[in-house]
Amino acid sequence: MNPINLVTFAEHSEKLPPTLLAPPKEKPQTWKLLLGHSMDFFMAITMVSVMVAMFNLSVSTLMVTQGLQGIFNFSTLESFSGAVIPFVVFNYFFMSYFLNHGQSWGLMLMGKRLPMPSKSFRRAIRWATHSSLLCLSGGLTFLLFKKIWSELQDSDYLYQDLMRVEEKEQIDLRAFMEPKKIVHLNSVELDQAA
């Protein structure tokens, strides 16, 4: 907190301005936002490439003869996967934000979260659109929508609340209610024991 000289306000009977009472705002760390989204984008690219590779392998096992192998062209499948990437990226962000209260895998690793009510369809579509545009433009839309991305929260409140370790034990009331036996030993008994 910033130290405030209250004497100047008291002498003139003025109220303290709210800017002095609010905690200082930290500058948003844009590198965490961009790094989290790049990790999410590479995860979506990896998912598409794994799906295409598995489809290629499954089709190539079915194409037994030379004629069937000549009919199926794998280059058309690769060009189709390029057209599917924006759809997969949008769906990845939408499902992450909708089901995880505004946090994707990359944002979780960076400790960031988008402010979003639980299961808000409209907000999930809005943030998924912004995140998809950010990833597909290589980060250029961040410069256009910098004000929108300032809503990113630094604290990961849901993770801290859900992952808090609480050890709960049952209370044994009999241990509190039973009187404890007090043993009185006199000095003669202590000398004999030694």
Side-chain angles (χ1 to χ4, degrees), residues 179-183:
K180 296 187 179 188
K181 297 180 182 178
I182 301 174
V183 179

Side-chain angles (χ1 to χ4, degrees), residues 112-161:
K112 303 285 186 184
R113 182 177 294 278
L114 294 169
M116 185 179 303
S118 177
K119 305 287 191 282
S120 174
F121 191 79
R122 183 177 296 180
R123 296 281 299 237
I125 285 180
R126 176 181 170 232
W127 282 112
T129 303
H130 288 300
S131 295
S132 299
L133 289 175
L134 180 72
C135 289
L136 295 173
S137 70
L140 293 177
T141 57
F142 176 75
L143 300 173
L144 297 174
F145 301 113
K146 196 176 250 188
K147 184 180 177 184
I148 293 171
W149 287 109
S150 64
E151 294 181 27
L152 192 69
Q153 296 176 350
D154 286 335
S155 62
D156 194 8
Y157 62 94
L158 284 177
Y159 181 76
Q160 292 169 356
D161 289 345

Side-chain angles (χ1 to χ4, degrees), residues 173-180:
L173 294 176
R174 288 180 284 155
F176 292 111
M177 305 219 19
E178 291 178 358
K180 296 187 179 188

Side-chain angles (χ1 to χ4, degrees), residues 22-87:
K25 291 187 177 181
E26 296 179 9
K27 291 183 178 179
Q29 296 174 338
T30 57
W31 67 272
K32 284 189 175 183
L33 171 74
L34 296 176
L35 183 64
H37 276 78
S38 64
M39 286 191 287
D40 290 331
F41 182 66
F42 287 122
M43 177 185 284
I45 295 291
T46 304
M47 288 182 347
V48 169
S49 62
V50 165
M51 287 189 301
V52 167
M54 289 181 66
F55 185 75
N56 280 342
L57 287 175
S58 63
V59 169
S60 66
T61 57
L62 294 175
M63 304 296 174
V64 180
T65 64
Q66 294 284 341
L68 287 175
Q69 288 177 357
I71 292 172
F72 186 74
N73 191 1
F74 292 111
S75 62
T76 58
L77 184 64
E78 292 172 1
S79 65
F80 174 72
S81 67
V84 171
I85 286 176
F87 180 72

Side-chain angles (χ1 to χ4, degrees), residues 74-122:
F74 292 111
S75 62
T76 58
L77 184 64
E78 292 172 1
S79 65
F80 174 72
S81 67
V84 171
I85 286 176
F87 180 72
V88 170
V89 169
F90 177 80
N91 284 330
Y92 170 77
F93 280 115
F94 173 74
M95 296 305 270
S96 295
Y97 294 156
F98 185 71
L99 297 175
N100 201 15
H101 303 285
Q103 191 174 38
S104 64
W105 175 71
L107 292 178
M108 182 193 68
L109 292 178
M110 295 294 122
K112 303 285 186 184
R113 182 177 294 278
L114 294 169
M116 185 179 303
S118 177
K119 305 287 191 282
S120 174
F121 191 79
R122 183 177 296 180

